[in-house]
PDB file of all heavy atoms in Angstrom:
ATOM      1  N   LEU B   4     143.622  30.750  63.443  1.00  0.00           N
ATOM      2  CA  LEU B   4     143.698  32.055  64.094  1.00  0.00           C
ATOM      3  C   LEU B   4     142.432  32.830  63.740  1.00  0.00           C
ATOM      4  O   LEU B   4     142.086  32.974  62.562  1.00  0.00           O
ATOM      5  CB  LEU B   4     144.936  32.824  63.609  1.00  0.00           C
ATOM      6  CG  LEU B   4     145.104  34.246  64.150  1.00  0.00           C
ATOM      7  CD1 LEU B   4     145.305  34.249  65.671  1.00  0.00           C
ATOM      8  CD2 LEU B   4     146.276  34.940  63.464  1.00  0.00           C
ATOM      9  N   THR B   5     141.771  33.305  64.763  1.00  0.00           N
ATOM     10  CA  THR B   5     140.529  34.062  64.541  1.00  0.00           C
ATOM     11  C   THR B   5     140.562  35.346  65.350  1.00  0.00           C
ATOM     12  O   THR B   5     141.425  35.558  66.192  1.00  0.00           O
ATOM     13  CB  THR B   5     139.300  33.199  64.899  1.00  0.00           C
ATOM     14  OG1 THR B   5     138.112  33.932  64.612  1.00  0.00           O
ATOM     15  CG2 THR B   5     139.297  32.815  66.368  1.00  0.00           C
ATOM     16  N   GLY B   6     139.606  36.203  65.083  1.00  0.00           N
ATOM     17  CA  GLY B   6     139.482  37.471  65.800  1.00  0.00           C
ATOM     18  C   GLY B   6     138.257  38.185  65.267  1.00  0.00           C
ATOM     19  O   GLY B   6     137.407  37.567  64.600  1.00  0.00           O
ATOM     20  N   ASN B   7     138.144  39.471  65.586  1.00  0.00           N
ATOM     21  CA  ASN B   7     137.020  40.253  65.063  1.00  0.00           C
ATOM     22  C   ASN B   7     137.554  41.436  64.256  1.00  0.00           C
ATOM     23  O   ASN B   7     138.507  42.095  64.673  1.00  0.00           O
ATOM     24  CB  ASN B   7     136.137  40.767  66.201  1.00  0.00           C
ATOM     25  CG  ASN B   7     135.376  39.657  66.888  1.00  0.00           C
ATOM     26  OD1 ASN B   7     135.919  38.986  67.759  1.00  0.00           O
ATOM     27  ND2 ASN B   7     134.149  39.426  66.473  1.00  0.00           N
ATOM     28  N   TRP B  22     142.821  38.167  55.921  1.00  0.00           N
ATOM     29  CA  TRP B  22     141.678  37.765  56.736  1.00  0.00           C
ATOM     30  C   TRP B  22     140.453  37.527  55.863  1.00  0.00           C
ATOM     31  O   TRP B  22     140.232  38.235  54.886  1.00  0.00           O
ATOM     32  CB  TRP B  22     141.358  38.850  57.764  1.00  0.00           C
ATOM     33  CG  TRP B  22     142.450  39.035  58.773  1.00  0.00           C
ATOM     34  CD1 TRP B  22     143.495  39.914  58.678  1.00  0.00           C
ATOM     35  CD2 TRP B  22     142.619  38.305  59.978  1.00  0.00           C
ATOM     36  NE1 TRP B  22     144.305  39.778  59.784  1.00  0.00           N
ATOM     37  CE2 TRP B  22     143.794  38.810  60.610  1.00  0.00           C
ATOM     38  CE3 TRP B  22     141.920  37.287  60.617  1.00  0.00           C
ATOM     39  CZ2 TRP B  22     144.266  38.332  61.822  1.00  0.00           C
ATOM     40  CZ3 TRP B  22     142.380  36.809  61.844  1.00  0.00           C
ATOM     41  CH2 TRP B  22     143.538  37.321  62.423  1.00  0.00           C
ATOM     42  N   GLY B  40     148.984  36.840  65.261  1.00  0.00           N
ATOM     43  CA  GLY B  40     147.940  37.623  65.909  1.00  0.00           C
ATOM     44  C   GLY B  40     148.474  38.927  66.487  1.00  0.00           C
ATOM     45  O   GLY B  40     147.867  39.990  66.317  1.00  0.00           O
ATOM     46  N   ARG B  41     149.621  38.840  67.170  1.00  0.00           N
ATOM     47  CA  ARG B  41     150.221  40.052  67.758  1.00  0.00           C
ATOM     48  C   ARG B  41     150.572  41.060  66.673  1.00  0.00           C
ATOM     49  O   ARG B  41     150.307  42.257  66.794  1.00  0.00           O
ATOM     50  CB  ARG B  41     151.478  39.679  68.552  1.00  0.00           C
ATOM     51  CG  ARG B  41     151.184  39.256  69.996  1.00  0.00           C
ATOM     52  CD  ARG B  41     152.450  39.288  70.836  1.00  0.00           C
ATOM     53  NE  ARG B  41     153.494  38.432  70.292  1.00  0.00           N
ATOM     54  CZ  ARG B  41     153.605  37.113  70.542  1.00  0.00           C
ATOM     55  NH1 ARG B  41     152.725  36.527  71.331  1.00  0.00           N
ATOM     56  NH2 ARG B  41     154.580  36.399  70.012  1.00  0.00           N
ATOM     57  N   GLU B  43     149.309  41.305  63.615  1.00  0.00           N
ATOM     58  CA  GLU B  43     148.100  41.835  62.967  1.00  0.00           C
ATOM     59  C   GLU B  43     147.349  42.818  63.862  1.00  0.00           C
ATOM     60  O   GLU B  43     146.821  43.823  63.397  1.00  0.00           O
ATOM     61  CB  GLU B  43     147.172  40.667  62.584  1.00  0.00           C
ATOM     62  CG  GLU B  43     147.686  39.850  61.427  1.00  0.00           C
ATOM     63  CD  GLU B  43     147.718  40.655  60.137  1.00  0.00           C
ATOM     64  OE1 GLU B  43     146.678  41.245  59.790  1.00  0.00           O
ATOM     65  OE2 GLU B  43     148.780  40.721  59.495  1.00  0.00           O
ATOM     66  N   GLU B  44     147.339  42.534  65.167  1.00  0.00           N
ATOM     67  CA  GLU B  44     146.650  43.415  66.113  1.00  0.00           C
ATOM     68  C   GLU B  44     147.315  44.785  66.108  1.00  0.00           C
ATOM     69  O   GLU B  44     146.644  45.815  66.211  1.00  0.00           O
ATOM     70  CB  GLU B  44     146.687  42.789  67.509  1.00  0.00           C
ATOM     71  CG  GLU B  44     145.685  43.407  68.472  1.00  0.00           C
ATOM     72  CD  GLU B  44     145.601  42.627  69.767  1.00  0.00           C
ATOM     73  OE1 GLU B  44     146.576  41.940  70.120  1.00  0.00           O
ATOM     74  OE2 GLU B  44     144.554  42.713  70.426  1.00  0.00           O
ATOM     75  N   VAL B  49     142.619  43.598  63.262  1.00  0.00           N
ATOM     76  CA  VAL B  49     141.835  42.626  64.001  1.00  0.00           C
ATOM     77  C   VAL B  49     141.812  42.990  65.486  1.00  0.00           C
ATOM     78  O   VAL B  49     142.762  43.553  66.018  1.00  0.00           O
ATOM     79  CB  VAL B  49     142.419  41.210  63.798  1.00  0.00           C
ATOM     80  CG1 VAL B  49     143.854  41.144  64.277  1.00  0.00           C
ATOM     81  CG2 VAL B  49     141.600  40.144  64.488  1.00  0.00           C
ATOM     82  N   THR B  50     140.698  42.660  66.118  1.00  0.00           N
ATOM     83  CA  THR B  50     140.566  42.857  67.558  1.00  0.00           C
ATOM     84  C   THR B  50     140.535  41.495  68.240  1.00  0.00           C
ATOM     85  O   THR B  50     139.833  40.589  67.794  1.00  0.00           O
ATOM     86  CB  THR B  50     139.249  43.605  67.874  1.00  0.00           C
ATOM     87  OG1 THR B  50     139.277  44.865  67.203  1.00  0.00           O
ATOM     88  CG2 THR B  50     139.106  43.842  69.361  1.00  0.00           C
ATOM     89  N   GLY B  51     141.289  41.363  69.298  1.00  0.00           N
ATOM     90  CA  GLY B  51     141.260  40.161  70.136  1.00  0.00           C
ATOM     91  C   GLY B  51     141.566  38.870  69.412  1.00  0.00           C
ATOM     92  O   GLY B  51     140.819  37.883  69.561  1.00  0.00           O
ATOM     93  N   PRO B  52     142.652  38.799  68.635  1.00  0.00           N
ATOM     94  CA  PRO B  52     142.957  37.539  67.943  1.00  0.00           C
ATOM     95  C   PRO B  52     143.308  36.425  68.926  1.00  0.00           C
ATOM     96  O   PRO B  52     143.937  36.686  69.958  1.00  0.00           O
ATOM     97  CB  PRO B  52     144.169  37.897  67.068  1.00  0.00           C
ATOM     98  CG  PRO B  52     144.802  39.064  67.733  1.00  0.00           C
ATOM     99  CD  PRO B  52     143.683  39.829  68.394  1.00  0.00           C
ATOM    100  N   TYR B  53     142.893  35.216  68.605  1.00  0.00           N
ATOM    101  CA  TYR B  53     143.265  34.071  69.432  1.00  0.00           C
ATOM    102  C   TYR B  53     143.269  32.799  68.585  1.00  0.00           C
ATOM    103  O   TYR B  53     142.642  32.746  67.519  1.00  0.00           O
ATOM    104  CB  TYR B  53     142.362  33.938  70.664  1.00  0.00           C
ATOM    105  CG  TYR B  53     140.906  33.621  70.382  1.00  0.00           C
ATOM    106  CD1 TYR B  53     140.418  32.316  70.516  1.00  0.00           C
ATOM    107  CD2 TYR B  53     140.018  34.613  70.002  1.00  0.00           C
ATOM    108  CE1 TYR B  53     139.082  32.019  70.277  1.00  0.00           C
ATOM    109  CE2 TYR B  53     138.688  34.334  69.762  1.00  0.00           C
ATOM    110  CZ  TYR B  53     138.220  33.036  69.898  1.00  0.00           C
ATOM    111  OH  TYR B  53     136.902  32.744  69.651  1.00  0.00           O
ATOM    112  N   VAL B  54     143.972  31.820  69.103  1.00  0.00           N
ATOM    113  CA  VAL B  54     144.171  30.570  68.359  1.00  0.00           C
ATOM    114  C   VAL B  54     143.210  29.510  68.898  1.00  0.00           C
ATOM    115  O   VAL B  54     143.013  29.403  70.112  1.00  0.00           O
ATOM    116  CB  VAL B  54     145.629  30.087  68.509  1.00  0.00           C
ATOM    117  CG1 VAL B  54     145.834  28.749  67.802  1.00  0.00           C
ATOM    118  CG2 VAL B  54     146.591  31.139  67.961  1.00  0.00           C
TER     119      VAL B  54
END
Side-chain angles (χ1 to χ4, degrees):
Chain B
L4 177 64
T5 183
N7 291 83
W22 295 92
R41 274 196 302 275
E43 288 294 308
E44 196 171 25
V49 60
T50 301
Y53 65 100
V54 177

